[in-house]
Amino acid sequence: MPQLLLRFDMRNPDFGADQRALYDAALDMAEWADEQGFDCIQISEHHGCEDGYLPSPIVLASAMAARTKRIRLRMALIILPFHDPIRVAEDLAVLDIISKGRLEVVVGAGYVPEEFAMFGVELKDRGVLMESKINALKQAWTGEPFTYEGRPVQVTPRPVQRPHPPLWMGGSSKPAARRAARMVDYFYTENRALFEEFNAERERLGKEAIPFMELGSGFFVVSDDPDAEWKRMAPHILFECNSYGKWQASSAMQGQYLEMTDAAPLRETGLYPIIKPDEVADYLDRLGDNAQLCLHPLIAGQDPTYGWQQLESFSRVVMPHLKNRE
């Protein structure tokens, strides 16, 4: 059975819904996902965005932790070069305690030039910063005194999970894959070739290979009328795709998003699947069990009313198929 996720980035362009309504809905949807048996809520981070992209995932995750009981909370991802790792370690330790050990941490080096300028960090330094700050996180979570950049440090309380919450790394290059193999538990990528690089480095280091997990599309909707749903959602879908595409182009990053002006060719890519109920079984077969099925109900400020309709349709149509697969 694929892993079931809800995804939130709280991006909200001018044509989106009221921002307070979106945050209220995100908390309610987290509680719904917990009750429905979803596996994980994925919360993202970016900074200085006109559309209000979430800059503080730990804060939102803490609110969700208080509203839920069993679902895991995945920071995907924390852009580590922008942060003091000691402060991040403290905040994440408290979040792990509040959630009773339901935290998963994905860190990344970042890639948007404007964000590096905002935090006074040089893009060329991100690799070195990642190494230093990942080591600091792991040392901090031991609870033992140590020295970081000449400063005496001791982080208390410790996280519930030992030796620390699952620590993953995202990335889009071979050096990042090799760094992940050396330093963290998993390499979070949709690129199978890079994941093979990660496993090759693990094996060189005497570690066992790890199975690749298909990250999926980060979006999924089931609708009785996909054409009508695509037409209604096109502004939201295009906005998200173009925003990520612009960022990736500005950083020369190789990613799955491109800037597009027309929803029709974007629909053909399969990156934003909207399918009929009678297509669900075949879709799940193609997806496989070692994969993520991720819903994005508030995509680019989508009115929560429509997001709820999509979640309820998923519960009614897709959940029975998933239970049968169990």
Side-chain angles (χ1 to χ4, degrees):
M1 178 173 170
Q3 190 179 53
L4 295 184
L5 277 73
L6 274 194
R7 170 187 168 202
F8 296 102
D9 59 22
M10 308 314 298
R11 190 191 285 276
N12 186 27
D14 291 343
F15 58 84
D18 177 77
Q19 193 164 58
R20 291 167 297 180
L22 291 170
Y23 274 84
D24 285 346
L27 297 179
D28 291 340
M29 288 173 175
E31 188 171 359
W32 173 91
D34 191 48
E35 294 168 352
Q36 288 286 315
F38 274 57
D39 298 288
C40 188
I41 298 170
Q42 182 165 297
I43 308 169
S44 304
E45 171 189 344
H46 275 291
H47 298 272
C49 306
E50 291 183 1
D51 58 33
Y53 199 119
L54 179 67
S56 302
I58 298 172
V59 174
L60 181 57
S62 297
M64 290 177 171
R67 294 279 298 269
T68 57
K69 296 178 179 179
R70 47 156 301 281
I71 197 166
R72 295 190 68 79
L73 301 164
R74 180 181 297 164
M75 307 292 95
L77 45 71
I78 291 174
I79 309 174
L80 199 53
F82 301 158
H83 301 291
D84 181 334
I86 307 307
R87 191 67 180 123
V88 170
E90 291 178 327
D91 287 346
L92 291 174
V94 171
L95 175 53
D96 200 46
I97 294 166
I98 291 170
S99 67
K100 299 180 174 63
R102 293 185 280 132
L103 175 63
E104 297 175 359
V105 181
V106 187
V107 295
Y111 62 94
V112 182
E114 292 81 2
E115 290 181 304
F116 282 83
M118 177 175 172
F119 284 93
V121 177
E122 295 289 337
L123 251 170
K124 63 180 177 59
D125 295 336
R126 58 184 179 170
V128 172
L129 291 171
M130 284 292 285
E131 300 239 359
S132 169
K133 295 188 178 192
I134 289 172
N135 280 329
L137 284 179
K138 292 193 291 186
Q139 283 187 280
W141 285 329
T142 68
E144 298 296 326
F146 69 103
T147 300
Y148 175 69
E149 294 185 341
R151 295 146 41 192
V153 171
Q154 185 173 18
V155 168
T156 61
R158 290 186 68 190
V160 170
Q161 299 177 89
R162 300 296 170 89
H164 51 70
L167 182 58
W168 301 353
M169 196 181 97
S172 59
S173 68
K174 288 184 177 182
R178 293 191 291 269
R179 182 178 300 116
R182 294 195 309 272
M183 304 192 72
V184 299
D185 305 315
Y186 186 80
F187 187 50
Y188 200 63
T189 179
E190 76 278 354
N191 187 316
R192 190 178 288 271
L194 286 180
F195 196 83
E196 290 174 358
E197 185 78 16
F198 163 75
N199 264 333
E201 182 70 5
R202 280 183 63 88
E203 291 174 3
R204 191 187 69 79
L205 296 169
K207 301 178 181 180
E208 292 184 1
I210 296 176
F212 178 72
M213 178 174 61
E214 294 281 357
L215 299 190
S217 65
F219 176 95
F220 178 81
V221 171
V222 59
S223 170
D224 291 326
D225 190 346
D227 291 339
E229 193 73 345
W230 248 100
K231 183 177 181 180
R232 185 190 64 76
M233 292 195 73
H236 300 278
I237 292 171
L238 276 169
F239 184 89
E240 177 182 91
C241 185
N242 286 333
S243 296
Y244 282 120
K246 182 179 179 180
W247 280 344
Q248 291 177 359
S250 71
S251 63
M253 174 185 170
Q254 296 298 315
Q256 58 186 340
Y257 295 98
L258 297 171
E259 293 185 76
M260 295 188 174
T261 57
D262 187 352
L266 178 54
R267 184 178 183 181
E268 293 302 314
T269 67
L271 190 58
Y272 292 91
I274 302 178
I275 68 173
K276 295 179 180 179
D278 61 9
E279 297 172 324
V280 168
D282 286 343
Y283 184 88
L284 294 176
D285 286 341
R286 293 194 305 274
L287 187 65
D289 290 335
N290 193 27
Q292 292 185 165
L293 183 58
C294 183
L295 280 61
H296 194 6
L298 300 179
I299 179 173
Q302 174 172 250
D303 190 312
T305 300
Y306 293 114
W308 278 116
Q309 289 174 4
Q310 292 170 352
L311 294 182
E312 288 159 4
S313 179
F314 183 90
S315 178
R316 184 180 68 256
V317 175
V318 182
M319 289 300 286
H321 286 277
L322 293 170
K323 290 176 180 177
N324 287 339
R325 295 176 72 90
E326 286 185 295

